[in-house]
PDB file of all heavy atoms in Angstrom:
ATOM      1  N   VAL C  57      -3.342  31.602   6.008  1.00 97.00           N
ATOM      2  CA  VAL C  57      -4.749  31.188   6.005  1.00 97.00           C
ATOM      3  C   VAL C  57      -5.459  31.700   7.247  1.00 97.00           C
ATOM      4  O   VAL C  57      -4.839  32.070   8.253  1.00 97.00           O
ATOM      5  CB  VAL C  57      -4.868  29.645   5.968  1.00 97.00           C
ATOM      6  CG1 VAL C  57      -4.157  29.074   4.753  1.00 97.00           C
ATOM      7  CG2 VAL C  57      -4.324  29.006   7.254  1.00 97.00           C
ATOM      8  N   THR C  58      -6.795  31.712   7.169  1.00 96.00           N
ATOM      9  CA  THR C  58      -7.627  31.751   8.369  1.00 96.00           C
ATOM     10  C   THR C  58      -8.242  30.367   8.508  1.00 96.00           C
ATOM     11  O   THR C  58      -8.257  29.581   7.545  1.00 96.00           O
ATOM     12  CB  THR C  58      -8.720  32.823   8.273  1.00 96.00           C
ATOM     13  OG1 THR C  58      -9.550  32.549   7.138  1.00 96.00           O
ATOM     14  CG2 THR C  58      -8.112  34.212   8.125  1.00 96.00           C
ATOM     15  N   TYR C  59      -8.784  30.061   9.678  1.00 96.00           N
ATOM     16  CA  TYR C  59      -9.181  28.685   9.917  1.00 96.00           C
ATOM     17  C   TYR C  59     -10.317  28.593  10.927  1.00 96.00           C
ATOM     18  O   TYR C  59     -10.637  29.560  11.625  1.00 96.00           O
ATOM     19  CB  TYR C  59      -7.983  27.865  10.404  1.00 96.00           C
ATOM     20  CG  TYR C  59      -7.287  28.436  11.626  1.00 96.00           C
ATOM     21  CD1 TYR C  59      -7.575  27.986  12.907  1.00 96.00           C
ATOM     22  CD2 TYR C  59      -6.333  29.453  11.488  1.00 96.00           C
ATOM     23  CE1 TYR C  59      -6.945  28.513  14.020  1.00 96.00           C
ATOM     24  CE2 TYR C  59      -5.688  29.986  12.597  1.00 96.00           C
ATOM     25  CZ  TYR C  59      -6.000  29.515  13.867  1.00 96.00           C
ATOM     26  OH  TYR C  59      -5.375  30.049  14.959  1.00 96.00           O
ATOM     27  N   THR C  60     -10.925  27.414  10.985  1.00 95.00           N
ATOM     28  CA  THR C  60     -11.985  27.129  11.950  1.00 95.00           C
ATOM     29  C   THR C  60     -11.531  25.987  12.840  1.00 95.00           C
ATOM     30  O   THR C  60     -11.238  24.886  12.342  1.00 95.00           O
ATOM     31  CB  THR C  60     -13.295  26.750  11.235  1.00 95.00           C
ATOM     32  OG1 THR C  60     -13.696  27.809  10.378  1.00 95.00           O
ATOM     33  CG2 THR C  60     -14.400  26.448  12.245  1.00 95.00           C
ATOM     34  N   ILE C  61     -11.440  26.221  14.134  1.00 95.00           N
ATOM     35  CA  ILE C  61     -11.010  25.190  15.078  1.00 95.00           C
ATOM     36  C   ILE C  61     -12.135  24.179  15.271  1.00 95.00           C
ATOM     37  O   ILE C  61     -13.282  24.543  15.550  1.00 95.00           O
ATOM     38  CB  ILE C  61     -10.604  25.811  16.429  1.00 95.00           C
ATOM     39  CG1 ILE C  61      -9.383  26.718  16.245  1.00 95.00           C
ATOM     40  CG2 ILE C  61     -10.311  24.734  17.468  1.00 95.00           C
ATOM     41  CD1 ILE C  61      -8.984  27.466  17.502  1.00 95.00           C
ATOM     42  N   THR C  62     -11.808  22.903  15.130  1.00 93.00           N
ATOM     43  CA  THR C  62     -12.797  21.836  15.299  1.00 93.00           C
ATOM     44  C   THR C  62     -12.553  21.002  16.556  1.00 93.00           C
ATOM     45  O   THR C  62     -13.449  20.293  17.010  1.00 93.00           O
ATOM     46  CB  THR C  62     -12.775  20.902  14.071  1.00 93.00           C
ATOM     47  OG1 THR C  62     -11.439  20.394  13.881  1.00 93.00           O
ATOM     48  CG2 THR C  62     -13.203  21.650  12.810  1.00 93.00           C
ATOM     49  N   SER C  63     -11.347  21.065  17.098  1.00 91.00           N
ATOM     50  CA  SER C  63     -11.018  20.359  18.331  1.00 91.00           C
ATOM     51  C   SER C  63      -9.905  21.120  19.026  1.00 91.00           C
ATOM     52  O   SER C  63      -8.870  21.408  18.418  1.00 91.00           O
ATOM     53  CB  SER C  63     -10.574  18.924  18.022  1.00 91.00           C
ATOM     54  OG  SER C  63     -10.139  18.259  19.202  1.00 91.00           O
ATOM     55  N   ASP C  64     -10.132  21.470  20.290  1.00 90.00           N
ATOM     56  CA  ASP C  64      -9.179  22.329  20.997  1.00 90.00           C
ATOM     57  C   ASP C  64      -8.709  21.646  22.272  1.00 90.00           C
ATOM     58  O   ASP C  64      -9.501  21.340  23.170  1.00 90.00           O
ATOM     59  CB  ASP C  64      -9.856  23.664  21.329  1.00 90.00           C
ATOM     60  CG  ASP C  64      -8.843  24.730  21.706  1.00 90.00           C
ATOM     61  OD1 ASP C  64      -7.638  24.505  21.495  1.00 90.00           O
ATOM     62  OD2 ASP C  64      -9.265  25.782  22.211  1.00 90.00           O
ATOM     63  N   LYS C  65      -7.403  21.371  22.340  1.00 90.00           N
ATOM     64  CA  LYS C  65      -6.814  20.757  23.527  1.00 90.00           C
ATOM     65  C   LYS C  65      -5.759  21.691  24.101  1.00 90.00           C
ATOM     66  O   LYS C  65      -5.468  22.736  23.521  1.00 90.00           O
ATOM     67  CB  LYS C  65      -6.220  19.398  23.164  1.00 90.00           C
ATOM     68  CG  LYS C  65      -7.272  18.390  22.674  1.00 90.00           C
ATOM     69  CD  LYS C  65      -6.669  17.026  22.426  1.00 90.00           C
ATOM     70  CE  LYS C  65      -7.718  16.033  21.926  1.00 90.00           C
ATOM     71  NZ  LYS C  65      -8.728  15.720  22.961  1.00 90.00           N
ATOM     72  N   ALA C  66      -5.203  21.293  25.222  1.00 85.00           N
ATOM     73  CA  ALA C  66      -4.282  22.180  25.923  1.00 85.00           C
ATOM     74  C   ALA C  66      -3.021  22.463  25.110  1.00 85.00           C
ATOM     75  O   ALA C  66      -2.551  23.605  25.045  1.00 85.00           O
ATOM     76  CB  ALA C  66      -3.912  21.575  27.276  1.00 85.00           C
ATOM     77  N   ARG C  67      -2.466  21.416  24.453  1.00 87.00           N
ATOM     78  CA  ARG C  67      -1.176  21.582  23.770  1.00 87.00           C
ATOM     79  C   ARG C  67      -1.316  21.788  22.262  1.00 87.00           C
ATOM     80  O   ARG C  67      -0.372  22.222  21.609  1.00 87.00           O
ATOM     81  CB  ARG C  67      -0.301  20.360  24.043  1.00 87.00           C
ATOM     82  CG  ARG C  67       0.008  20.171  25.529  1.00 87.00           C
ATOM     83  CD  ARG C  67       0.913  18.994  25.772  1.00 87.00           C
ATOM     84  NE  ARG C  67       2.212  19.169  25.137  1.00 87.00           N
ATOM     85  CZ  ARG C  67       3.159  18.246  25.130  1.00 87.00           C
ATOM     86  NH1 ARG C  67       2.949  17.086  25.701  1.00 87.00           N
ATOM     87  NH2 ARG C  67       4.322  18.482  24.534  1.00 87.00           N
ATOM     88  N   PHE C  68      -2.463  21.426  21.701  1.00 91.00           N
ATOM     89  CA  PHE C  68      -2.642  21.595  20.253  1.00 91.00           C
ATOM     90  C   PHE C  68      -4.126  21.709  19.940  1.00 91.00           C
ATOM     91  O   PHE C  68      -4.992  21.381  20.762  1.00 91.00           O
ATOM     92  CB  PHE C  68      -2.018  20.423  19.481  1.00 91.00           C
ATOM     93  CG  PHE C  68      -2.727  19.113  19.676  1.00 91.00           C
ATOM     94  CD1 PHE C  68      -3.753  18.715  18.816  1.00 91.00           C
ATOM     95  CD2 PHE C  68      -2.379  18.268  20.717  1.00 91.00           C
ATOM     96  CE1 PHE C  68      -4.411  17.519  18.993  1.00 91.00           C
ATOM     97  CE2 PHE C  68      -3.030  17.054  20.902  1.00 91.00           C
ATOM     98  CZ  PHE C  68      -4.051  16.673  20.041  1.00 91.00           C
ATOM     99  N   ALA C  69      -4.394  22.162  18.732  1.00 93.00           N
ATOM    100  CA  ALA C  69      -5.771  22.244  18.244  1.00 93.00           C
ATOM    101  C   ALA C  69      -5.827  21.693  16.828  1.00 93.00           C
ATOM    102  O   ALA C  69      -4.835  21.728  16.103  1.00 93.00           O
ATOM    103  CB  ALA C  69      -6.263  23.691  18.278  1.00 93.00           C
ATOM    104  N   LYS C  70      -6.991  21.164  16.453  1.00 93.00           N
ATOM    105  CA  LYS C  70      -7.226  20.745  15.086  1.00 93.00           C
ATOM    106  C   LYS C  70      -8.216  21.695  14.446  1.00 93.00           C
ATOM    107  O   LYS C  70      -9.148  22.173  15.100  1.00 93.00           O
ATOM    108  CB  LYS C  70      -7.737  19.306  15.052  1.00 93.00           C
ATOM    109  CG  LYS C  70      -6.693  18.289  15.490  1.00 93.00           C
ATOM    110  CD  LYS C  70      -7.155  16.862  15.245  1.00 93.00           C
ATOM    111  CE  LYS C  70      -6.048  15.880  15.597  1.00 93.00           C
ATOM    112  NZ  LYS C  70      -6.462  14.473  15.337  1.00 93.00           N
ATOM    113  N   ALA C  71      -7.982  21.955  13.151  1.00 94.00           N
ATOM    114  CA  ALA C  71      -8.812  22.945  12.478  1.00 94.00           C
ATOM    115  C   ALA C  71      -8.969  22.588  11.006  1.00 94.00           C
ATOM    116  O   ALA C  71      -8.301  21.682  10.501  1.00 94.00           O
ATOM    117  CB  ALA C  71      -8.178  24.339  12.616  1.00 94.00           C
ATOM    118  N   LYS C  72      -9.850  23.284  10.347  1.00 93.00           N
ATOM    119  CA  LYS C  72      -9.970  23.174   8.889  1.00 93.00           C
ATOM    120  C   LYS C  72      -9.795  24.558   8.299  1.00 93.00           C
ATOM    121  O   LYS C  72     -10.122  25.579   8.948  1.00 93.00           O
ATOM    122  CB  LYS C  72     -11.314  22.571   8.487  1.00 93.00           C
ATOM    123  CG  LYS C  72     -12.526  23.334   8.975  1.00 93.00           C
ATOM    124  CD  LYS C  72     -13.820  22.601   8.618  1.00 93.00           C
ATOM    125  CE  LYS C  72     -15.035  23.362   9.148  1.00 93.00           C
ATOM    126  NZ  LYS C  72     -16.304  22.651   8.845  1.00 93.00           N
ATOM    127  N   VAL C  73      -9.255  24.603   7.098  1.00 95.00           N
ATOM    128  CA  VAL C  73      -8.963  25.887   6.493  1.00 95.00           C
ATOM    129  C   VAL C  73     -10.265  26.636   6.186  1.00 95.00           C
ATOM    130  O   VAL C  73     -11.274  26.034   5.797  1.00 95.00           O
ATOM    131  CB  VAL C  73      -8.104  25.711   5.222  1.00 95.00           C
ATOM    132  CG1 VAL C  73      -8.902  25.092   4.083  1.00 95.00           C
ATOM    133  CG2 VAL C  73      -7.493  27.035   4.794  1.00 95.00           C
ATOM    134  N   ARG C  74     -10.234  27.947   6.409  1.00 95.00           N
ATOM    135  CA  ARG C  74     -11.420  28.786   6.160  1.00 95.00           C
ATOM    136  C   ARG C  74     -11.210  29.587   4.888  1.00 95.00           C
ATOM    137  O   ARG C  74     -11.944  29.456   3.922  1.00 95.00           O
ATOM    138  CB  ARG C  74     -11.637  29.706   7.365  1.00 95.00           C
ATOM    139  CG  ARG C  74     -12.886  30.564   7.329  1.00 95.00           C
ATOM    140  CD  ARG C  74     -13.098  31.226   8.703  1.00 95.00           C
ATOM    141  NE  ARG C  74     -14.224  32.149   8.675  1.00 95.00           N
ATOM    142  CZ  ARG C  74     -14.121  33.450   8.448  1.00 95.00           C
ATOM    143  NH1 ARG C  74     -12.918  33.988   8.224  1.00 95.00           N
ATOM    144  NH2 ARG C  74     -15.197  34.220   8.441  1.00 95.00           N
ATOM    145  N   ASP C  75     -10.171  30.385   4.869  1.00 96.00           N
ATOM    146  CA  ASP C  75      -9.813  31.168   3.675  1.00 96.00           C
ATOM    147  C   ASP C  75      -8.311  31.040   3.448  1.00 96.00           C
ATOM    148  O   ASP C  75      -7.532  31.104   4.406  1.00 96.00           O
ATOM    149  CB  ASP C  75     -10.182  32.649   3.834  1.00 96.00           C
ATOM    150  CG  ASP C  75     -11.684  32.868   3.859  1.00 96.00           C
ATOM    151  OD1 ASP C  75     -12.349  32.414   2.911  1.00 96.00           O
ATOM    152  OD2 ASP C  75     -12.169  33.464   4.832  1.00 96.00           O
ATOM    153  N   ILE C  76      -7.916  30.899   2.187  1.00 96.00           N
ATOM    154  CA  ILE C  76      -6.498  30.875   1.830  1.00 96.00           C
ATOM    155  C   ILE C  76      -6.142  32.270   1.317  1.00 96.00           C
ATOM    156  O   ILE C  76      -6.537  32.660   0.216  1.00 96.00           O
ATOM    157  CB  ILE C  76      -6.215  29.798   0.758  1.00 96.00           C
ATOM    158  CG1 ILE C  76      -6.630  28.428   1.286  1.00 96.00           C
ATOM    159  CG2 ILE C  76      -4.741  29.801   0.374  1.00 96.00           C
ATOM    160  CD1 ILE C  76      -6.576  27.332   0.241  1.00 96.00           C
ATOM    161  N   LEU C  77      -5.440  33.018   2.131  1.00 97.00           N
ATOM    162  CA  LEU C  77      -5.114  34.400   1.777  1.00 97.00           C
ATOM    163  C   LEU C  77      -3.910  34.471   0.848  1.00 97.00           C
ATOM    164  O   LEU C  77      -3.808  35.377   0.024  1.00 97.00           O
ATOM    165  CB  LEU C  77      -4.842  35.203   3.051  1.00 97.00           C
ATOM    166  CG  LEU C  77      -5.961  35.150   4.116  1.00 97.00           C
ATOM    167  CD1 LEU C  77      -5.560  35.975   5.340  1.00 97.00           C
ATOM    168  CD2 LEU C  77      -7.274  35.651   3.531  1.00 97.00           C
ATOM    169  N   LYS C  78      -2.999  33.501   0.982  1.00 97.00           N
ATOM    170  CA  LYS C  78      -1.831  33.439   0.114  1.00 97.00           C
ATOM    171  C   LYS C  78      -1.559  31.960  -0.199  1.00 97.00           C
ATOM    172  O   LYS C  78      -1.024  31.237   0.633  1.00 97.00           O
ATOM    173  CB  LYS C  78      -0.618  34.066   0.800  1.00 97.00           C
ATOM    174  CG  LYS C  78       0.661  33.995  -0.027  1.00 97.00           C
ATOM    175  CD  LYS C  78       1.860  34.481   0.778  1.00 97.00           C
ATOM    176  CE  LYS C  78       3.158  34.248  -0.002  1.00 97.00           C
ATOM    177  NZ  LYS C  78       4.348  34.587   0.822  1.00 97.00           N
ATOM    178  N   PRO C  79      -1.945  31.506  -1.398  1.00 96.00           N
ATOM    179  CA  PRO C  79      -1.783  30.078  -1.717  1.00 96.00           C
ATOM    180  C   PRO C  79      -0.326  29.708  -1.979  1.00 96.00           C
ATOM    181  O   PRO C  79       0.485  30.540  -2.401  1.00 96.00           O
ATOM    182  CB  PRO C  79      -2.625  29.893  -2.981  1.00 96.00           C
ATOM    183  CG  PRO C  79      -2.665  31.241  -3.613  1.00 96.00           C
ATOM    184  CD  PRO C  79      -2.616  32.238  -2.482  1.00 96.00           C
ATOM    185  N   ALA C  80       0.008  28.442  -1.739  1.00 96.00           N
ATOM    186  CA  ALA C  80       1.347  27.923  -2.034  1.00 96.00           C
ATOM    187  C   ALA C  80       1.504  27.725  -3.536  1.00 96.00           C
ATOM    188  O   ALA C  80       0.538  27.414  -4.243  1.00 96.00           O
ATOM    189  CB  ALA C  80       1.568  26.598  -1.307  1.00 96.00           C
ATOM    190  N   VAL C  81       2.726  27.881  -4.030  1.00 96.00           N
ATOM    191  CA  VAL C  81       2.979  27.710  -5.462  1.00 96.00           C
ATOM    192  C   VAL C  81       2.786  26.256  -5.880  1.00 96.00           C
ATOM    193  O   VAL C  81       2.547  25.973  -7.054  1.00 96.00           O
ATOM    194  CB  VAL C  81       4.398  28.180  -5.840  1.00 96.00           C
ATOM    195  CG1 VAL C  81       4.536  29.664  -5.622  1.00 96.00           C
ATOM    196  CG2 VAL C  81       5.454  27.425  -5.049  1.00 96.00           C
ATOM    197  N   PHE C  82       2.888  25.314  -4.929  1.00 95.00           N
ATOM    198  CA  PHE C  82       2.737  23.902  -5.269  1.00 95.00           C
ATOM    199  C   PHE C  82       1.335  23.379  -4.949  1.00 95.00           C
ATOM    200  O   PHE C  82       1.127  22.178  -4.894  1.00 95.00           O
ATOM    201  CB  PHE C  82       3.797  23.053  -4.549  1.00 95.00           C
ATOM    202  CG  PHE C  82       4.078  23.473  -3.132  1.00 95.00           C
ATOM    203  CD1 PHE C  82       3.227  23.107  -2.106  1.00 95.00           C
ATOM    204  CD2 PHE C  82       5.190  24.246  -2.831  1.00 95.00           C
ATOM    205  CE1 PHE C  82       3.472  23.482  -0.803  1.00 95.00           C
ATOM    206  CE2 PHE C  82       5.453  24.627  -1.522  1.00 95.00           C
ATOM    207  CZ  PHE C  82       4.585  24.252  -0.501  1.00 95.00           C
ATOM    208  N   ARG C  83       0.380  24.276  -4.726  1.00 96.00           N
ATOM    209  CA  ARG C  83      -1.012  23.843  -4.544  1.00 96.00           C
ATOM    210  C   ARG C  83      -1.557  23.351  -5.882  1.00 96.00           C
ATOM    211  O   ARG C  83      -1.307  23.949  -6.935  1.00 96.00           O
ATOM    212  CB  ARG C  83      -1.867  24.985  -3.992  1.00 96.00           C
ATOM    213  CG  ARG C  83      -3.362  24.646  -3.914  1.00 96.00           C
ATOM    214  CD  ARG C  83      -4.154  25.701  -3.164  1.00 96.00           C
ATOM    215  NE  ARG C  83      -3.938  25.606  -1.723  1.00 96.00           N
ATOM    216  CZ  ARG C  83      -4.606  24.767  -0.932  1.00 96.00           C
ATOM    217  NH1 ARG C  83      -5.510  23.937  -1.437  1.00 96.00           N
ATOM    218  NH2 ARG C  83      -4.366  24.750   0.369  1.00 96.00           N
ATOM    219  N   ALA C  84      -2.301  22.259  -5.852  1.00 96.00           N
ATOM    220  CA  ALA C  84      -2.897  21.681  -7.064  1.00 96.00           C
ATOM    221  C   ALA C  84      -4.409  21.606  -6.906  1.00 96.00           C
ATOM    222  O   ALA C  84      -4.933  21.580  -5.791  1.00 96.00           O
ATOM    223  CB  ALA C  84      -2.331  20.281  -7.320  1.00 96.00           C
ATOM    224  N   GLN C  85      -5.099  21.564  -8.027  1.00 95.00           N
ATOM    225  CA  GLN C  85      -6.549  21.429  -8.020  1.00 95.00           C
ATOM    226  C   GLN C  85      -6.905  19.956  -7.891  1.00 95.00           C
ATOM    227  O   GLN C  85      -6.569  19.151  -8.756  1.00 95.00           O
ATOM    228  CB  GLN C  85      -7.149  21.996  -9.314  1.00 95.00           C
ATOM    229  CG  GLN C  85      -8.660  21.886  -9.405  1.00 95.00           C
ATOM    230  CD  GLN C  85      -9.385  22.682  -8.320  1.00 95.00           C
ATOM    231  OE1 GLN C  85      -8.950  23.768  -7.951  1.00 95.00           O
ATOM    232  NE2 GLN C  85     -10.464  22.131  -7.805  1.00 95.00           N
ATOM    233  N   PRO C  86      -7.572  19.550  -6.802  1.00 95.00           N
ATOM    234  CA  PRO C  86      -7.936  18.134  -6.662  1.00 95.00           C
ATOM    235  C   PRO C  86      -8.791  17.655  -7.826  1.00 95.00           C
ATOM    236  O   PRO C  86      -9.698  18.361  -8.275  1.00 95.00           O
ATOM    237  CB  PRO C  86      -8.729  18.097  -5.349  1.00 95.00           C
ATOM    238  CG  PRO C  86      -8.256  19.294  -4.588  1.00 95.00           C
ATOM    239  CD  PRO C  86      -7.976  20.339  -5.633  1.00 95.00           C
ATOM    240  N   LYS C  87      -8.498  16.469  -8.317  1.00 95.00           N
ATOM    241  CA  LYS C  87      -9.200  15.934  -9.482  1.00 95.00           C
ATOM    242  C   LYS C  87     -10.490  15.221  -9.092  1.00 95.00           C
ATOM    243  O   LYS C  87     -11.447  15.189  -9.862  1.00 95.00           O
ATOM    244  CB  LYS C  87      -8.266  14.980 -10.235  1.00 95.00           C
ATOM    245  CG  LYS C  87      -8.806  14.486 -11.556  1.00 95.00           C
ATOM    246  CD  LYS C  87      -7.752  13.641 -12.282  1.00 95.00           C
ATOM    247  CE  LYS C  87      -8.272  13.175 -13.639  1.00 95.00           C
ATOM    248  NZ  LYS C  87      -7.272  12.374 -14.363  1.00 95.00           N
ATOM    249  N   CYS C  88     -10.504  14.643  -7.911  1.00 94.00           N
ATOM    250  CA  CYS C  88     -11.617  13.788  -7.505  1.00 94.00           C
ATOM    251  C   CYS C  88     -12.712  14.601  -6.829  1.00 94.00           C
ATOM    252  O   CYS C  88     -12.433  15.426  -5.952  1.00 94.00           O
ATOM    253  CB  CYS C  88     -11.117  12.692  -6.556  1.00 94.00           C
ATOM    254  SG  CYS C  88     -12.372  11.495  -6.106  1.00 94.00           S
ATOM    255  N   ALA C  89     -13.956  14.335  -7.210  1.00 93.00           N
ATOM    256  CA  ALA C  89     -15.093  15.052  -6.620  1.00 93.00           C
ATOM    257  C   ALA C  89     -15.288  14.697  -5.154  1.00 93.00           C
ATOM    258  O   ALA C  89     -15.883  15.468  -4.398  1.00 93.00           O
ATOM    259  CB  ALA C  89     -16.368  14.723  -7.401  1.00 93.00           C
TER     260      ALA C  89
END
Side-chain angles (χ1 to χ4, degrees):
V57 302
T58 59
Y59 55 96
T60 302
I61 296 175
T62 56
S63 175
D64 196 12
K65 297 184 181 293
R67 299 182 62 184
F68 68 91
K70 292 189 176 181
K72 58 184 178 182
V73 71
R74 185 170 175 266
D75 292 306
I76 301 172
L77 306 179
K78 178 187 173 186
V81 295
F82 40 80
R83 174 171 285 276
Q85 179 63 37
K87 187 175 182 179
C88 185

